[in-house]
Amino acid sequence: MKRFRVRHRGLLLALALLTRLPVRLAPPPQEHEHGEAVAAYPLVGLLLGALLVALAMLGFWLGLPHGPLALLLLILWVGLTGALHLDGLADSADAWLGGQGDRERTLKIMKDPACGPAGVVSLVLVLLGKWVVLNGLLDLGALTAIGLAPLLGRAAAAWLFMALPYAREQGLGSAGARHLPRAAVTLTVTLAALAPPLLAGAAGLAMLVATALVCAAGVTLMRRRLGGFTGDTAGALVETVELAALLAAVLYTV
């Protein structure tokens, strides 16, 4: 019972960290529970995907045009996550451009709350790209692909904890990195990787390949520049994986 309770609190903590869903954690989470939360990241993605698919099905039932419905899906997506990963994307884009190859300068820029030109451009491109591909998937009736994208994004974030060390001594991900249950993370990430081909067939396999390519490129860039990852770069990876996976699904299905 105690073991189950710890895992349950890890899931609640993951929901509290990655979404704006009302989650009550009492007493406050212990440090080791942050590691258990990482293992639950893909489960959070599964929930987010299910909510998006539910809204898409409701929109189909109401007969909404696909363009406005895609916008509603995007608004829900951003609202559920509180734009957390978008913030990481913008900070990472600014830091990569302004850091000029220097590790310490890059980390310093990431902590700056201001959003520079690179950050603004990255946000516009990702949000516009998601709206376009969501519209395309709605036209194709490929709702499963829409639901799989958040799952793959958060599985990528969980895998990042195993692929690289945390680049800061303190930060949102430092406790999770120190107390990472590698076996549990491996299990949930593996199950998340099996889901696309099982649920969406060849299109799902295309989504998985796109995810793997983005993850490989992201880890290479982070290792070269930072020697590890931060919460911001994890958020950037989530957003990039989601867009790449959706785009792969559209291109394969057309």
Side-chain angles (χ1 to χ4, degrees):
M1 181 63 67
K2 181 179 179 182
R3 187 178 181 184
F4 173 80
R5 182 172 180 271
V6 168
R7 290 181 177 177
H8 174 68
R9 280 179 58 83
L11 175 57
L12 290 179
L13 180 55
L15 286 169
L17 291 172
L18 300 183
T19 76
R20 289 297 177 264
L21 295 173
V23 176
R24 184 172 179 268
L25 277 170
Q30 301 177 22
E31 187 167 291
H32 71 87
E33 289 174 334
H34 283 267
E36 294 167 3
V38 175
Y41 283 4
L43 299 179
V44 175
L46 184 64
L47 174 61
L48 293 174
L51 293 174
L52 292 175
V53 171
L55 177 58
M57 293 177 67
L58 176 62
F60 278 5
W61 182 72
L62 293 173
L64 296 180
H66 292 169
L69 179 55
L71 179 59
L72 290 176
L73 286 171
L74 188 56
I75 291 172
L76 176 65
W77 203 336
V78 174
L80 287 172
T81 60
L84 173 67
H85 310 306
L86 289 169
D87 178 70
L89 173 69
D91 287 343
S92 297
D94 284 333
W96 238 257
L97 182 64
Q100 299 175 354
D102 182 75
R103 179 181 187 275
E104 296 306 320
R105 181 178 173 84
T106 301
L107 291 172
K108 182 179 179 180
I109 294 175
M110 278 187 198
K111 295 181 69 175
D112 188 344
C115 188
V120 172
V121 170
S122 68
L123 292 177
V124 170
L125 290 177
V126 166
L127 290 173
L128 180 60
K130 280 189 174 181
W131 179 79
V132 170
V133 291
L134 284 172
N135 197 358
L137 289 170
L138 290 172
D139 287 343
L140 295 167
L143 301 189
T144 301
I146 295 175
L148 287 170
L151 170 65
L152 289 171
R154 279 136 201 89
W159 172 79
L160 191 57
F161 277 81
M162 296 197 300
L164 291 174
Y166 198 70
R168 300 185 192 273
E169 292 185 6
Q170 299 295 327
L172 289 177
S174 58
R178 285 194 298 270
H179 299 277
L180 190 69
R182 300 185 73 87
V185 174
T186 300
L187 175 61
T188 56
V189 170
T190 300
L191 291 175
L194 292 174
L198 289 176
L199 297 178
L205 183 59
M207 296 178 73
L208 185 60
V209 170
T211 296
L213 292 174
V214 171
C215 286
V219 165
T220 299
L221 290 173
M222 293 178 217
R223 181 181 289 116
R224 289 178 179 175
R225 176 69 68 91
L226 303 176
F229 77 99
T230 68
D232 284 327
T233 60
L237 183 66
V238 169
E239 290 292 338
T240 310
V241 162
E242 287 177 342
L243 178 57
L246 290 171
L247 181 59
V250 169
L251 294 177
Y252 183 87
T253 309
V254 170

